[in-house]
Amino acid sequence: MLRRILLLVILFALLTGTLTTINLPVYGTDEPTMFVEPMNSIFYMTEKKVGDTIQINCTLANVTGLAGVRFSLSWDPTLLICTGIQEVLFHSVTPTAFWGNIWNLKLRYNNTAGTADYMQTWQDVQLAVADGYAPANITINEYPEGKLAAAIITLEIVHAPFPLGFEECSLNLSNTAIADLDANMIVHTVNNGYYKLTKIGRASCRERV
């Protein structure tokens, strides 16, 4: 019964948790952060063309005590479509023998809306704690750069810019939540991403967040 109550509390926190996040131009803080990586996916058409794909990581950094994660990523569906979303975080922090305990609540995309949704936790949180893989810590002590991708999202380019022109859109994170074992929301900053495809000449290096 206690296990079920704990699970329901974390699930409720992920579903309803809201917090104030700060949008920063770059990833370079020691605070808990969720960000699009690379921040700038900037190409010209000698590098990428219609039908080619790009990979976007939705990444966490400097997080301790993690028990559940939720986010949505959005883009312009007239320029890009999603061809796949791969869960990484919980399959990295959970030993292979316990992958059956990962609860995949959301791992989906919608190319009409131009969105991808992610929500993961463990089915039996107490078991995860007892077996030593919960809560998860994503810090410099566990990972060389103090970060770990939550998911890898593959996007296909479906529209080319006009000659001498370019196409661009933001890659925006929203509905973000990170829950700890007590179902408290972990306050974190959010860094969005930017996509640009230029028809001729070099793309500029300006950023969009």
Side-chain angles (χ1 to χ4, degrees), residues 27-33 35 60-64 137-140 145-148 186-188:
Y27 163 61
T29 173
D30 292 331
E31 299 301 317
T33 308
F35 60 102
L60 298 181
N62 307 317
V63 178
T64 58
N137 296 312
I138 305 171
T139 69
I140 198 71
E145 298 182 4
K147 64 181 182 179
L148 179 64
I186 298 174
V187 177
H188 56 282

Side-chain angles (χ1 to χ4, degrees), residues 49-98:
K49 61 184 183 300
V50 172
D52 288 346
T53 59
I54 61 174
Q55 286 193 331
I56 303 297
N57 292 352
C58 295
T59 300
L60 298 181
N62 307 317
V63 178
T64 58
L66 180 153
V69 180
R70 180 194 74 194
F71 66 80
S72 296
L73 180 74
S74 62
W75 59 87
D76 184 341
T78 68
L79 305 182
L80 301 166
I81 62 170
C82 184
T83 60
I85 176 170
Q86 177 186 351
E87 203 288 318
V88 177
L89 191 154
F90 279 81
H91 284 84
S92 296
V93 301
T94 306
T96 306
F98 299 104

Side-chain angles (χ1 to χ4, degrees), residues 1 50 67 69 81-82 84 94 101 129 133 138 173 182 202:
M1 178 61 72
V50 172
V69 180
I81 62 170
C82 184
T94 306
N101 194 28
V129 172
Y133 57 90
I138 305 171
L173 286 166
D182 297 319
R202 287 191 173 274

Side-chain angles (χ1 to χ4, degrees), residues 83-183:
T83 60
I85 176 170
Q86 177 186 351
E87 203 288 318
V88 177
L89 191 154
F90 279 81
H91 284 84
S92 296
V93 301
T94 306
T96 306
F98 299 104
W99 279 3
N101 194 28
I102 298 171
W103 194 3
N104 176 17
L105 291 158
K106 286 184 182 179
L107 193 66
R108 65 193 185 193
Y109 56 88
N110 182 327
N111 279 322
T112 300
T115 59
D117 300 304
Y118 174 103
M119 186 162 61
Q120 307 282 318
T121 184
W122 292 289
Q123 297 183 58
D124 191 328
V125 179
Q126 283 194 326
L127 178 64
V129 172
D131 287 325
Y133 57 90
N137 296 312
I138 305 171
T139 69
I140 198 71
N141 294 323
E142 288 80 22
Y143 300 95
E145 298 182 4
K147 64 181 182 179
L148 179 64
I152 299 172
I153 298 173
T154 302
L155 300 172
E156 179 182 335
I157 299 169
V158 295
H159 193 274
F162 292 110
L164 302 179
F166 60 87
E167 302 281 12
E168 63 179 347
C169 69
S170 296
L171 304 171
N172 287 329
L173 286 166
S174 61
N175 301 317
T176 66
I178 307 172
D180 66 16
L181 286 176
D182 297 319

